[in-house]
Structures are given as C-alpha cells and as structure tokens.
Amino acid sequence: MARALDRLVGKTAIITGAAQGMGEAHARAFAAEGARVILTDVNGDGVRRLADELGENALGLSHDVGDPAGWDAVMVQAHDRFGPVNVLVNNAGIIGPVKGILDFSAEEFTEVFKVNELGVFLGMKAVLPDMIAAGGGSIVNISSIAGMLGTRASSNAAYCSTKFAVRGMSKLIAAQWGHAGIRVNSVHPGYILTPMMIAATDEEGGGAKEVIPLGRLAKPDEVTRVVLFLASDESSFVSGAEHVVDGAMIAG
Ligand SMILES: NC(=O)c1ccc[n+]([C@@H]2O[C@H](COP(=O)([O-])OP(=O)(O)OC[C@H]3O[C@@H](n4cnc5c(N)ncnc54)[C@H](O)[C@@H]3O)[C@@H](O)[C@H]2O)c1
C-alpha cells in the first residue's frame, strides 16, 4: 500500500466483513489514513483481534449484516464510541455454491440474498440518518464483475442477481440522496486473491489468470485504493457510478 496521506482524517467509517480478505485490507488502509473504523463481521473474534492491533481508533464488533437488529446494535456502539458515521463500506459477501439453477435450492438463494443484498440495503438504511444530519457522507457498496455481466463459470443465480441488485440500489440511493450531499458508488472487483478466491482456486488463482488481460489476479489492496478514493473527499463529484477493478477481464 502507498504511503498514508491522512486522506480520511475526520471520517468515521463502518466496514463490514472486515475480518479477512478485502475488508481487512480496507480496514488497515482506512486506519492508516486517519479514519476511525468500526469493523464488523460474523467472525467477531477476527475483527476484535484486528481492532486491537489497529489501536484506539478501531472498534471490532460481531455482526451479521443480514440481521436488522444487528445493525441497530452496531449503530449504538459506533455512536457511543466515535459519534456519527460518515462512511460506510458494505463489503461483507458470500458466493454460495457454484452450480446451475436446476440444482440451486430456494434456501441457498435466500442465504446469499440475505448477506449480499439485504445486508447492503440494511447498511444504507442504518447510516443514512447520520449522513443526512451531517449534510453528507460516502457509501461504497462492494458488488462484483458478476454485477456487470453473467460470469457463468464462476458464479450462480443468487450471487449474480444480488451483485446486480447492489449496483442498481447504489444508483437509486445516489440519485435520491445526492441533494443531501450523500455519494453512493459500487465497486466491481474481478478476481482478487482473498481467502474466498484462494479457497475456490489456489494461491495463484489457478487457471483464472488466463482470462485476465493483465495476466494475473489482484492483491486485495489494489481494490482498497479505489475504495479509499471513493470514501475520501478526493472523489467529491463521483457518485452513482460503477468502478470495475478487474485487470480488463470484462473489457473485451
Ligand atoms: N475475492 C474476489 O475475487 C471477489 C470478486 C468480486 C467481488 N468480491 C466481493 O468482495 C467482498 C469481499 O470478498 P472477499 O473476497 O474479501 O471475501 P472473504 O470471504 O475473504 O471475506 C468476506 C468476509 O465477510 C464476512 N461475512 C460473511 N458473511 C457475513 C455476514 N452475514 N455478516 C458479516 N460479515 C460476513 C466473512 O466472515 C469474511 O470475513 C464480497 O462482497 C465479495 O462478494 C470478491
């Protein structure tokens, strides 16, 4: 990661799914750039450990993003510790089983929906009152290239549709709340070497790099730099847009 430049001083940010992978990379960079960070994850021990490491400007909380009451509890604890929240990174996500629609059950679909789509909806609902009261804020919703097109080899109907939904919701909320100074963007990573991807391929990304024009998978912090830009005031006129970070995978 590049040298920190205090780009997030004065920001209080919630990052979901921060115990590992890209969420962890975002958490480390946000803290280094001067943000106060609330790190949430179903892996509560993981985010508490990370928060301990990052110091007094970090708080780690057990949290299931698909649970409305869980968001209420996160907001109460965030307010108690740091005051109003002005940045949200809706990062938590799951793939679910990679298989065809004929073998995909309604229960499997619902599980993916709850984390990837309902979780993003609930997160935006939770932070919007703080942002409206403050006259602005930045929401960064992590979608996927699976939210740009049907990635048939590595996805499923639930993952693809929820990631498309994240892109659509981001545009709607950006359009509805722009007048209040609130910016909402979606980020669409391609193949990134996180525990999620390594579990599905290997440390090198298996054959995945063959379909990436840049010839390799990305490291998590290559996505973090885009998320950091969108969270910071450097992106003050950027809203309602898709930001693809995929080494040109879906370009041609
Ligand atoms: N790795 C990739 O190549 C890739 C590509 C495109 C998009 N994405 C998206 O990026 C985001 C981060 O992915 P990653 O690769 O770092 O994944 P990861 O599996 O390494 O980490 C995801 C984190 O989310 C947490 N989580 C899962 N369900 C949760 C829930 N209900 N509530 C709170 N936390 C929960 C997990 O415990 C884990 O710590 C996800 O939204 C994913 O869909 C990843």
Side-chain angles (χ1 to χ4, degrees):
M1 193 70 195
R3 189 169 59 91
L5 297 168
D6 289 345
R7 280 174 285 188
L8 297 180
V9 169
K11 307 290 187 199
T12 298
I14 296 177
I15 303 172
T16 67
Q20 64 176 38
M22 282 185 265
E24 178 185 349
H26 305 337
R28 290 182 183 281
F30 276 41
E33 292 284 349
R36 292 173 291 254
V37 287
I38 299 105
L39 312 177
T40 87
D41 205 295
V42 283
N43 177 0
D45 288 344
V47 275
R48 278 188 286 272
R49 255 196 316 272
L50 179 57
D52 283 348
E53 190 194 320
L54 294 178
E56 61 182 17
N57 281 337
L59 172 66
L61 300 174
S62 272
H63 176 216
D64 178 350
V65 294
D67 171 18
W71 276 104
D72 294 341
V74 165
M75 293 311 294
V76 167
Q77 291 174 85
H79 289 160
D80 280 355
R81 178 75 176 265
F82 297 129
V85 172
N86 48 18
V87 173
L88 169 65
V89 182
N90 271 317
N91 165 78
I94 57 173
I95 297 186
V98 177
K99 58 186 179 183
I101 189 167
L102 297 179
D103 300 317
F104 214 87
S105 71
E107 291 73 25
E108 287 167 334
F109 190 99
T110 304
E111 199 182 330
V112 176
F113 162 79
K114 273 183 145 175
V115 183
N116 292 9
E117 185 171 340
L118 182 64
V120 169
F121 164 81
L122 292 172
M124 291 197 287
K125 250 174 93 76
V127 299
L128 272 167
D130 278 4
M131 295 184 178
I132 293 164
S138 174
I139 298 175
V140 184
N141 291 327
I142 307 301
S143 174
S144 166
I145 51 169
M148 301 295 293
L149 80 179
T151 48
R152 70 192 159 127
S154 58
S155 191
N156 60 51
Y159 191 71
C160 183
S161 58
T162 55
K163 292 301 188 181
F164 262 80
V166 167
R167 177 178 163 208
M169 271 197 291
S170 303
K171 288 188 183 297
L172 177 76
I173 305 305
Q176 289 182 331
W177 290 98
H179 68 88
I182 296 163
R183 298 185 296 106
V184 188
N185 288 281
S186 57
V187 172
H188 301 260
Y191 287 174
I192 317 301
L193 282 169
T194 66
M196 177 193 271
M197 176 58 65
I198 292 168
T201 57
D202 58 46
E203 295 282 336
E204 289 271 285
K209 56 178 179 275
E210 311 304 329
V211 295
I212 303 170
L214 283 183
R216 63 179 178 85
L217 279 74
K219 297 193 289 295
D221 69 10
E222 296 183 276
V223 179
T224 293
R225 280 179 236 145
V226 177
V227 174
L228 178 58
F229 167 70
L230 294 171
S232 79
D233 296 339
E234 288 177 1
S235 58
S236 52
F237 205 57
V238 181
S239 190
E242 298 99 349
H243 306 271
V244 176
V245 188
D246 74 341
M249 186 173 163
I250 65 167

